Amino acid sequence: MSKVTVLPIKSFSLNISEIAPDKSISHRSVMFSMLSSGVSEIENFLRAEDTLNSLEIIKNIGAKVEDDGKTIKISSNGIEEPFEILDCGNSGTGMRLFCGLLSSANGHFILTGDKYLRKRPMKRVTSPLISIGAKLDGRGNGELAPLSIRGASLKAFDYESKIASAQVKSAMILAALRADGTCTYREPELSRDHTERMLKGMGANIKVEGLKTIITPLRNSLSPLKIRVPADPSSAFFFAVAAAILPDSYIVLEGVTLNPTRIEAFKALKRMGADISYELMDDKYEPVGNIHVKYAPLHGIVIEKNISWLIDELPALSIVMACAEGESLVKNAQELRVKESDRISTVVEGLRACGIEVDEYKDGYKIIGAELKKAEIDSDGDHRIAMSFIIAGLKCGMEVTDLECINTSFPNFFELIQKITQVKFL
Ligand code: S3P
């Protein structure tokens, strides 16, 4: 499966209950189970490459895992030194959070990843961790994986991060749980907060005061996690885009996390004119419910705030911008350049190939809405680029190559797309 042709359609109506489970929560659920001496139970775990790699890693560091295909039960007597090199595959979240979890564990650990992950910046976690006593190293003076970690005693900290990154925040919170005193982490804008919610739910003493998170180190192990992973809003968003760009279309996305740090892209879509409503169904660690999206005429918008709340959805949102009336501007989104691909370049090049006028900036782009045209798009190994342009194909037809990456986050994506249109694999 290296190339797909997508046929255009006029309109569709659909309810989807099988959106991929949330990737951020799935990674955390297996890692945080290592902090409890009880049996954690995880339902609806995302069985995609990234998160299965995290599950494999916790097995290698001493977790006992029972999996009946529905519920994953995890118990551990603490972190053990692994026999294997720990392979995070394509996942920045996996690698950066494991740095935080392992930096205070007894033993020596090596974290590696695929050719894309080995090029992504790691100093954002290795530097603050080293500053509190962690013994971490990697290629390029600690910037690049493979990374090696020798567990060490960690000092209490008051750290101010320059970037709003949930991965950095989570790595530091995990380190703080084993530090020698109360720790404070500050960020410039609130990033996604699953770590704080889940660890608090397990009994950790974590206080959030605006942009400041105060963490008291653990005295005992935490209560086990009992969680049903909700659907991933970043995956659901591709189908929201499909309904938003096709006149007379309507979709219901079921069981999605409605965590306010995750649904900003749906809010942006509403600002562009789409008809969007939410139905709250549950609220344990996170609010969970259904999202309804109905087509309405779209206009351009400016996006410059709360960027970390919609960073993963910007490639798909750029397809909506291309279909909207007028100009759209994305600013302050330089973090896009260090995702699974340089997503400013991949979005700009992809849209230009589809006949759209786009200006590229260091920290974003300007898109002039017009008629999308069929093109051949290479995903550059980036799952969100591949899926965004497949969705654009519903409007105008599209050929997309380099598709394996979709398995990192959304293995049943094509099953769901085939409920809407025909696709041909070459
Ligand atoms: C994630 C945080 C975000 C996001 C990534 C998942 C997480 O990255 O882009 O897909 O689960 O913590 P940053 O924290 O680096 O912004």
Side-chain angles (χ1 to χ4, degrees), residues 22-25 27-28 50 91-94 96-97 120 124 163-170 191-192 194-195 234 262 308 311-312 335 338-340 343 383-384:
D22 191 74
K23 186 148 75 84
S24 293
I25 298 176
H27 277 299
R28 286 162 173 78
D50 277 9
S91 178
T93 306
R96 296 188 179 117
L97 268 64
R120 292 181 64 191
R124 53 183 57 205
I163 42 174
S165 161
Q167 295 176 355
V168 178
K169 175 172 64 176
S170 301
S191 59
R192 69 185 65 186
H194 305 295
T195 297
S234 308
R262 295 295 303 281
S308 69
I311 192 88
D312 291 342
E335 275 294 299
V338 289
K339 292 294 175 188
E340 284 84 331
R343 286 186 179 154
H383 56 140
R384 298 205 195 278

Side-chain angles (χ1 to χ4, degrees), residues 57 85-99 109-127 136-149:
I57 288 177
I85 287 176
L86 307 174
D87 188 354
C88 300
N90 188 247
S91 178
T93 306
M95 182 164 284
R96 296 188 179 117
L97 268 64
F98 273 119
C99 283
F109 308 86
I110 296 182
L111 291 168
T112 192
D114 68 10
K115 64 177 181 186
Y116 300 102
L117 185 57
R118 275 180 275 133
K119 287 190 201 142
R120 292 181 64 191
M122 291 299 148
K123 262 203 176 149
R124 53 183 57 205
V125 289
T126 57
S127 287
L136 271 148
D137 211 343
R139 292 185 303 123
N141 204 21
E143 180 66 295
L144 300 168
L147 300 175
S148 70
I149 304 172

Side-chain angles (χ1 to χ4, degrees), residues 68-325:
D68 65 5
K70 240 185 114 197
T71 306
I72 300 183
K73 293 188 180 167
I74 301 174
S75 54
S76 94
N77 293 322
I79 295 171
E80 291 168 11
E81 188 173 63
F83 184 67
E84 304 287 343
I85 287 176
L86 307 174
D87 188 354
C88 300
N90 188 247
S91 178
T93 306
M95 182 164 284
R96 296 188 179 117
L97 268 64
F98 273 119
C99 283
L101 184 72
L102 299 176
S103 56
S104 61
N106 261 336
H108 178 240
F109 308 86
I110 296 182
L111 291 168
T112 192
D114 68 10
K115 64 177 181 186
Y116 300 102
L117 185 57
R118 275 180 275 133
K119 287 190 201 142
R120 292 181 64 191
M122 291 299 148
K123 262 203 176 149
R124 53 183 57 205
V125 289
T126 57
S127 287
L129 287 169
I130 288 168
S131 77
I132 60 167
K135 297 207 165 72
L136 271 148
D137 211 343
R139 292 185 303 123
N141 204 21
E143 180 66 295
L144 300 168
L147 300 175
S148 70
I149 304 172
R150 156 77 52 200
S153 307
L154 303 181
K155 295 190 286 250
F157 62 83
D158 185 339
Y159 180 74
E160 179 150 8
S161 174
K162 296 233 163 24
I163 42 174
S165 161
Q167 295 176 355
V168 178
K169 175 172 64 176
S170 301
M172 292 304 282
I173 291 175
L174 288 168
L177 292 177
R178 298 264 181 246
D180 67 4
T182 302
C183 300
T184 304
Y185 181 87
R186 300 165 202 267
E187 55 185 342
E189 238 182 25
L190 186 67
S191 59
R192 69 185 65 186
D193 61 356
H194 305 295
T195 297
E196 301 86 304
R197 287 171 183 263
M198 291 169 74
L199 290 174
K200 272 203 251 178
M202 295 171 77
N205 185 349
I206 297 179
K207 267 195 241 127
V208 180
E209 294 174 1
L211 299 176
K212 195 162 93 174
T213 307
I214 302 155
I215 311 106
T216 308
L218 298 182
R219 279 201 216 103
N220 304 304
S221 89
L222 293 172
S223 307
L225 191 65
K226 308 274 175 197
I227 195 169
R228 179 178 166 78
V229 180
D232 194 318
S234 308
S235 297
F237 194 67
F238 294 109
F239 291 91
V241 169
I245 61 175
L246 294 168
D248 299 322
S249 295
Y250 174 55
I251 198 158
V252 184
L253 303 157
E254 295 183 10
V256 181
T257 173
L258 301 180
N259 179 325
T261 62
R262 295 295 303 281
I263 55 167
E264 188 74 4
F266 291 90
K267 294 187 180 162
L269 199 51
K270 187 166 184 155
R271 274 208 286 139
M272 297 183 80
D275 180 349
I276 299 195
S277 58
Y278 306 90
E279 242 182 302
L280 181 68
M281 316 290 279
D282 193 13
D283 199 348
K284 192 180 171 192
Y285 301 94
E286 309 253 328
V288 175
N290 300 340
I291 305 180
H292 298 244
V293 183
K294 212 192 229 167
Y295 172 85
L298 300 164
H299 53 81
I301 53 167
V302 175
I303 293 189
E304 56 187 341
K305 278 195 279 197
N306 290 335
I307 296 296
S308 69
W309 293 7
L310 45 60
I311 192 88
D312 291 342
E313 293 79 28
L314 280 173
L317 200 56
S318 71
I319 303 296
V320 186
M321 292 171 165
C323 298
E325 181 76 36

